[in-house]
Amino acid sequence: MARSYKGVRPKKNRVYSVDDVMIDYGVCRNTVSNWVQSGLATSDNKRPHLFRGSQLSAFHKARRERSRTTLLAGEFKCRVCDIAVCPPRESIDFKVCQGREMLIASCPECRGVVTKISSKPDRGLLVGCINPNTPGESSDEEIGLPLGDIGTEAEILHCQNDRLFYVWQGYANKYDVKTADSHLAAIRDLEVFLDGKPFDKLNRDDLSSYRNHLRELLKVEGRARLSRSTVSHRLSHLRAFVTWLRMQEGYKRLPEDLAGYLELPRSSLAMGPAGRLKEQPTIKEAEDLLRAMPDRTVKQRRARAIFATAFLGALRADTLISLQIKHVQVECWRIIQDPTVSRVKNGKALTIQWFPIPDLFAQTLIGWVEDLQSYGFADRDALFPNIGLLSKRVGHATQPRAPIAAMTSKKAVTEAFKAACKGHIKSYTPHSARRTIGGLRDILSLTNEQRKAWSLNMGHEKEPTTDTFYANIPDDHRFELIERSDHQDSDSFLEGLSDSEKVAAFNSLMEKLIRKNRAGGVGC
């Protein structure tokens, strides 16, 4: 089996111990030691070794790329591991095969035999190993750069705090993985801004300068600009980190008021230019987009089902792509959000009743489930499997098999929404489905109890959450409503509105009249 480790993706900001690397890559301790000898950069020269996630990724990427180019002296291409390896020099030996001088060695990864046609640099390297009188410097002259000599000087410099961050990662296990990664990204950003300064030397000026730096990023134009939400969250994460930092041995002498230098007034957070309006389709527009999506191939039908399910359950992309077939209860029109199986925000378990939207959405999802069942997929298989497994009809395997796991990436959801918006004047993101469903609650004529149920069905325990983040009114619709409110003629005011919109408009007018009458009464 190839061991190029393409499927292992360490997080670039995290710090990994030797044991972590052994578990993630499925290797033994000696293999990790061989990687270090081959050039894998450690965070520092202390033991036990720690590794930056970005260095691990770059090391293995470099080895894969080296295996596709001319090998350096001492390097062999292992056909089993599919990477360039550097066997121990004492294991390299000569062999003449069909008149050619070959070098034979043992792969340090899989212990298999690796061979290559010998070259002058290889022979010089081998002679240097065998001849004890050969200076070590000369034996290395033609070896070239080690595989692990990767990353810039700045990246190596910014590893000074890695041991501290490794301790913090243990503390951050109380957070969701994505939340912890968000915190760590903010901490790393501060570290980069301070040019890798050790955090035991943090002072007020450092944090004040960083705060002013973020304030400036609120006002710049282009890609460098940060949103108010990003700046607010980044400062919040750093305040929590600084509070934790001051409780650690060796950091208790830091100023007590450090966290206060990571605060901005509300007026500063409002200084940035207004962000791009978050667009969401009306439910009628979403229905038209779904109807226009092609369904000739399996991939296209999967995209239609993903798009439809996002609206039926107002699901986040990560939760949507991690559903299993058993989570869709067609008989009672429900979706089960199971945090023990699916990737759910805040680990929230929820039974979702399909929202009352056009039948096309439900028919699309039901048809997709029937397709999967006809392909031989079972209840515990992913609702939206990898397209390669679908095309191969893995579900029809004659031998017992393990359940087909959900995809780890949300890319299929993003691609489904891109396919739906192809040729459309606007482009919508997967999260726009939640905003559409949140806004639909205000268009329908619902009782207070029904509005509460609607919010709960979206996973919001409190109605203000739905109001604040999802029940948004697009600018063009807002302008239209304001213009309508200026009309005095009730007939012209109601002309062109749907029945539900007429009810909402009537209720709004009644509220205005009541307020006006009350104001008149007070004046008397």
Side-chain angles (χ1 to χ4, degrees), residues 375-400:
Y375 297 156
F377 288 85
D379 285 349
R380 295 175 60 195
D381 291 329
L383 179 63
F384 302 110
N386 184 289
I387 199 63
L389 301 178
L390 282 169
S391 59
K392 295 177 182 177
R393 300 293 195 270
V394 174
H396 280 304
T398 56
Q399 299 295 328

mmCIF file of all heavy atoms in Angstrom, residues 375-400:
data_model
loop_
_atom_site.group_PDB
_atom_site.id
_atom_site.type_symbol
_atom_site.label_atom_id
_atom_site.label_comp_id
_atom_site.label_asym_id
_atom_site.label_seq_id
_atom_site.Cartn_x
_atom_site.Cartn_y
_atom_site.Cartn_z
ATOM 1 N N TYR A 375 -28.980 1.587 -5.308
ATOM 2 C CA TYR A 375 -27.562 1.307 -5.530
ATOM 3 C C TYR A 375 -26.990 0.355 -4.488
ATOM 4 O O TYR A 375 -25.832 -0.042 -4.574
ATOM 5 C CB TYR A 375 -26.738 2.601 -5.493
ATOM 6 C CG TYR A 375 -27.089 3.596 -6.567
ATOM 7 C CD1 TYR A 375 -26.819 4.943 -6.390
ATOM 8 C CD2 TYR A 375 -27.691 3.208 -7.760
ATOM 9 C CE1 TYR A 375 -27.144 5.883 -7.363
ATOM 10 C CE2 TYR A 375 -28.022 4.130 -8.733
ATOM 11 C CZ TYR A 375 -27.748 5.464 -8.521
ATOM 12 O OH TYR A 375 -28.065 6.390 -9.490
ATOM 13 N N GLY A 376 -27.788 0.007 -3.480
ATOM 14 C CA GLY A 376 -27.329 -0.925 -2.460
ATOM 15 C C GLY A 376 -26.768 -0.277 -1.214
ATOM 16 O O GLY A 376 -26.175 -0.959 -0.375
ATOM 17 N N PHE A 377 -26.950 1.024 -1.050
ATOM 18 C CA PHE A 377 -26.446 1.691 0.144
ATOM 19 C C PHE A 377 -27.392 1.440 1.311
ATOM 20 O O PHE A 377 -28.612 1.357 1.139
ATOM 21 C CB PHE A 377 -26.298 3.190 -0.107
ATOM 22 C CG PHE A 377 -25.141 3.522 -1.017
ATOM 23 C CD1 PHE A 377 -25.295 3.500 -2.400
ATOM 24 C CD2 PHE A 377 -23.905 3.835 -0.490
ATOM 25 C CE1 PHE A 377 -24.233 3.792 -3.242
ATOM 26 C CE2 PHE A 377 -22.833 4.131 -1.320
ATOM 27 C CZ PHE A 377 -23.001 4.112 -2.698
ATOM 28 N N ALA A 378 -26.808 1.348 2.519
ATOM 29 C CA ALA A 378 -27.571 0.999 3.719
ATOM 30 C C ALA A 378 -27.754 2.226 4.614
ATOM 31 O O ALA A 378 -27.206 3.296 4.356
ATOM 32 C CB ALA A 378 -26.856 -0.112 4.487
ATOM 33 N N ASP A 379 -28.516 2.026 5.705
ATOM 34 C CA ASP A 379 -28.890 3.133 6.587
ATOM 35 C C ASP A 379 -27.687 3.866 7.165
ATOM 36 O O ASP A 379 -27.725 5.084 7.349
ATOM 37 C CB ASP A 379 -29.767 2.620 7.732
ATOM 38 C CG ASP A 379 -31.182 2.305 7.262
ATOM 39 O OD1 ASP A 379 -31.518 2.678 6.117
ATOM 40 O OD2 ASP A 379 -31.938 1.673 8.018
ATOM 41 N N ARG A 380 -26.616 3.143 7.480
ATOM 42 C CA ARG A 380 -25.477 3.756 8.149
ATOM 43 C C ARG A 380 -24.476 4.348 7.164
ATOM 44 O O ARG A 380 -23.441 4.868 7.576
ATOM 45 C CB ARG A 380 -24.799 2.739 9.059
ATOM 46 C CG ARG A 380 -25.665 2.268 10.236
ATOM 47 C CD ARG A 380 -24.977 1.175 11.025
ATOM 48 N NE ARG A 380 -23.718 1.622 11.580
ATOM 49 C CZ ARG A 380 -22.788 0.801 12.068
ATOM 50 N NH1 ARG A 380 -22.997 -0.517 12.051
ATOM 51 N NH2 ARG A 380 -21.669 1.270 12.561
ATOM 52 N N ASP A 381 -24.769 4.276 5.884
ATOM 53 C CA ASP A 381 -23.891 4.884 4.883
ATOM 54 C C ASP A 381 -24.156 6.378 4.795
ATOM 55 O O ASP A 381 -25.221 6.873 5.168
ATOM 56 C CB ASP A 381 -24.114 4.240 3.512
ATOM 57 C CG ASP A 381 -23.622 2.809 3.472
ATOM 58 O OD1 ASP A 381 -22.657 2.490 4.189
ATOM 59 O OD2 ASP A 381 -24.204 1.995 2.726
ATOM 60 N N ALA A 382 -23.181 7.104 4.276
ATOM 61 C CA ALA A 382 -23.308 8.555 4.126
ATOM 62 C C ALA A 382 -24.461 8.891 3.186
ATOM 63 O O ALA A 382 -24.680 8.212 2.176
ATOM 64 C CB ALA A 382 -22.005 9.132 3.590
ATOM 65 N N LEU A 383 -25.202 9.938 3.513
ATOM 66 C CA LEU A 383 -26.302 10.374 2.661
ATOM 67 C C LEU A 383 -25.780 10.941 1.345
ATOM 68 O O LEU A 383 -26.422 10.791 0.301
ATOM 69 C CB LEU A 383 -27.144 11.427 3.401
ATOM 70 C CG LEU A 383 -28.334 12.006 2.642
ATOM 71 C CD1 LEU A 383 -29.364 10.923 2.309
ATOM 72 C CD2 LEU A 383 -28.983 13.133 3.450
ATOM 73 N N PHE A 384 -24.626 11.562 1.393
ATOM 74 C CA PHE A 384 -24.011 12.124 0.193
ATOM 75 C C PHE A 384 -22.582 11.588 0.065
ATOM 76 O O PHE A 384 -21.615 12.267 0.427
ATOM 77 C CB PHE A 384 -24.015 13.654 0.255
ATOM 78 C CG PHE A 384 -25.384 14.239 0.410
ATOM 79 C CD1 PHE A 384 -25.774 14.848 1.599
ATOM 80 C CD2 PHE A 384 -26.303 14.162 -0.628
ATOM 81 C CE1 PHE A 384 -27.041 15.374 1.748
ATOM 82 C CE2 PHE A 384 -27.585 14.682 -0.486
ATOM 83 C CZ PHE A 384 -27.954 15.286 0.705
ATOM 84 N N PRO A 385 -22.442 10.345 -0.444
ATOM 85 C CA PRO A 385 -21.115 9.724 -0.524
ATOM 86 C C PRO A 385 -20.245 10.394 -1.575
ATOM 87 O O PRO A 385 -20.704 11.148 -2.426
ATOM 88 C CB PRO A 385 -21.436 8.270 -0.915
ATOM 89 C CG PRO A 385 -22.916 8.117 -0.796
ATOM 90 C CD PRO A 385 -23.500 9.470 -0.941
ATOM 91 N N ASN A 386 -18.961 10.072 -1.478
ATOM 92 C CA ASN A 386 -18.014 10.510 -2.500
ATOM 93 C C ASN A 386 -18.471 10.021 -3.859
ATOM 94 O O ASN A 386 -18.941 8.893 -4.010
ATOM 95 C CB ASN A 386 -16.619 9.956 -2.169
ATOM 96 C CG ASN A 386 -15.571 10.446 -3.131
ATOM 97 O OD1 ASN A 386 -15.535 10.057 -4.296
ATOM 98 N ND2 ASN A 386 -14.700 11.299 -2.638
ATOM 99 N N ILE A 387 -18.332 10.858 -4.871
ATOM 100 C CA ILE A 387 -18.853 10.516 -6.188
ATOM 101 C C ILE A 387 -18.169 9.288 -6.774
ATOM 102 O O ILE A 387 -18.754 8.539 -7.555
ATOM 103 C CB ILE A 387 -18.714 11.730 -7.149
ATOM 104 C CG1 ILE A 387 -19.645 11.564 -8.345
ATOM 105 C CG2 ILE A 387 -17.272 11.917 -7.568
ATOM 106 C CD1 ILE A 387 -21.094 11.544 -7.990
ATOM 107 N N GLY A 388 -16.902 9.050 -6.376
ATOM 108 C CA GLY A 388 -16.202 7.859 -6.852
ATOM 109 C C GLY A 388 -16.860 6.579 -6.373
ATOM 110 O O GLY A 388 -16.951 5.591 -7.112
ATOM 111 N N LEU A 389 -17.355 6.585 -5.133
ATOM 112 C CA LEU A 389 -18.043 5.413 -4.593
ATOM 113 C C LEU A 389 -19.393 5.224 -5.261
ATOM 114 O O LEU A 389 -19.847 4.095 -5.460
ATOM 115 C CB LEU A 389 -18.220 5.568 -3.083
ATOM 116 C CG LEU A 389 -16.940 5.743 -2.261
ATOM 117 C CD1 LEU A 389 -17.267 5.936 -0.801
ATOM 118 C CD2 LEU A 389 -16.022 4.540 -2.449
ATOM 119 N N LEU A 390 -20.034 6.325 -5.609
ATOM 120 C CA LEU A 390 -21.326 6.227 -6.285
ATOM 121 C C LEU A 390 -21.177 5.640 -7.673
ATOM 122 O O LEU A 390 -21.955 4.782 -8.092
ATOM 123 C CB LEU A 390 -21.971 7.612 -6.370
ATOM 124 C CG LEU A 390 -22.628 8.139 -5.092
ATOM 125 C CD1 LEU A 390 -22.970 9.604 -5.250
ATOM 126 C CD2 LEU A 390 -23.865 7.338 -4.767
ATOM 127 N N SER A 391 -20.160 6.108 -8.410
ATOM 128 C CA SER A 391 -19.980 5.629 -9.777
ATOM 129 C C SER A 391 -19.589 4.162 -9.815
ATOM 130 O O SER A 391 -19.885 3.455 -10.778
ATOM 131 C CB SER A 391 -18.920 6.479 -10.491
ATOM 132 O OG SER A 391 -17.679 6.405 -9.801
ATOM 133 N N LYS A 392 -18.926 3.687 -8.742
ATOM 134 C CA LYS A 392 -18.508 2.283 -8.690
ATOM 135 C C LYS A 392 -19.577 1.377 -8.082
ATOM 136 O O LYS A 392 -19.389 0.156 -8.027
ATOM 137 C CB LYS A 392 -17.220 2.156 -7.873
ATOM 138 C CG LYS A 392 -16.022 2.846 -8.507
ATOM 139 C CD LYS A 392 -14.807 2.734 -7.607
ATOM 140 C CE LYS A 392 -13.617 3.461 -8.195
ATOM 141 N NZ LYS A 392 -12.429 3.416 -7.301
ATOM 142 N N ARG A 393 -20.685 2.006 -7.616
ATOM 143 C CA ARG A 393 -21.763 1.230 -6.983
ATOM 144 C C ARG A 393 -21.228 0.365 -5.845
ATOM 145 O O ARG A 393 -21.471 -0.834 -5.757
ATOM 146 C CB ARG A 393 -22.475 0.348 -8.016
ATOM 147 C CG ARG A 393 -23.113 1.120 -9.162
ATOM 148 C CD ARG A 393 -24.288 1.970 -8.667
ATOM 149 N NE ARG A 393 -25.119 2.446 -9.759
ATOM 150 C CZ ARG A 393 -24.954 3.578 -10.411
ATOM 151 N NH1 ARG A 393 -23.938 4.366 -10.068
ATOM 152 N NH2 ARG A 393 -25.765 3.941 -11.383
ATOM 153 N N VAL A 394 -20.449 0.998 -4.960
ATOM 154 C CA VAL A 394 -19.850 0.260 -3.851
ATOM 155 C C VAL A 394 -20.912 -0.393 -2.981
ATOM 156 O O VAL A 394 -20.693 -1.426 -2.356
ATOM 157 C CB VAL A 394 -18.961 1.213 -3.017
ATOM 158 C CG1 VAL A 394 -18.439 0.528 -1.768
ATOM 159 C CG2 VAL A 394 -17.795 1.703 -3.865
ATOM 160 N N GLY A 395 -22.094 0.207 -2.953
ATOM 161 C CA GLY A 395 -23.158 -0.344 -2.119
ATOM 162 C C GLY A 395 -23.565 -1.748 -2.500
ATOM 163 O O GLY A 395 -24.148 -2.472 -1.700
ATOM 164 N N HIS A 396 -23.265 -2.158 -3.749
ATOM 165 C CA HIS A 396 -23.649 -3.488 -4.211
ATOM 166 C C HIS A 396 -22.586 -4.546 -3.909
ATOM 167 O O HIS A 396 -22.609 -5.620 -4.481
ATOM 168 C CB HIS A 396 -23.906 -3.465 -5.717
ATOM 169 C CG HIS A 396 -25.268 -2.925 -6.070
ATOM 170 N ND1 HIS A 396 -26.428 -3.454 -5.563
ATOM 171 C CD2 HIS A 396 -25.645 -1.891 -6.874
ATOM 172 C CE1 HIS A 396 -27.475 -2.792 -6.050
ATOM 173 N NE2 HIS A 396 -27.025 -1.825 -6.838
ATOM 174 N N ALA A 397 -21.635 -4.225 -3.037
ATOM 175 C CA ALA A 397 -20.581 -5.181 -2.710
ATOM 176 C C ALA A 397 -21.185 -6.471 -2.170
ATOM 177 O O ALA A 397 -22.094 -6.464 -1.347
ATOM 178 C CB ALA A 397 -19.625 -4.581 -1.681
ATOM 179 N N THR A 398 -20.676 -7.593 -2.662
ATOM 180 C CA THR A 398 -21.213 -8.895 -2.244
ATOM 181 C C THR A 398 -20.733 -9.287 -0.857
ATOM 182 O O THR A 398 -21.430 -9.986 -0.136
ATOM 183 C CB THR A 398 -20.795 -9.973 -3.257
ATOM 184 O OG1 THR A 398 -19.362 -9.973 -3.380
ATOM 185 C CG2 THR A 398 -21.405 -9.679 -4.623
ATOM 186 N N GLN A 399 -19.546 -8.843 -0.484
ATOM 187 C CA GLN A 399 -19.005 -9.188 0.830
ATOM 188 C C GLN A 399 -19.437 -8.144 1.857
ATOM 189 O O GLN A 399 -19.689 -6.987 1.522
ATOM 190 C CB GLN A 399 -17.469 -9.248 0.766
ATOM 191 C CG GLN A 399 -16.931 -10.281 -0.204
ATOM 192 C CD GLN A 399 -17.293 -11.692 0.220
ATOM 193 O OE1 GLN A 399 -17.398 -11.980 1.417
ATOM 194 N NE2 GLN A 399 -17.492 -12.577 -0.743
ATOM 195 N N PRO A 400 -19.526 -8.548 3.128
ATOM 196 C CA PRO A 400 -19.845 -7.570 4.177
ATOM 197 C C PRO A 400 -18.820 -6.438 4.172
ATOM 198 O O PRO A 400 -17.628 -6.656 3.982
ATOM 199 C CB PRO A 400 -19.753 -8.410 5.465
ATOM 200 C CG PRO A 400 -19.986 -9.811 5.023
ATOM 201 C CD PRO A 400 -19.388 -9.926 3.653
#
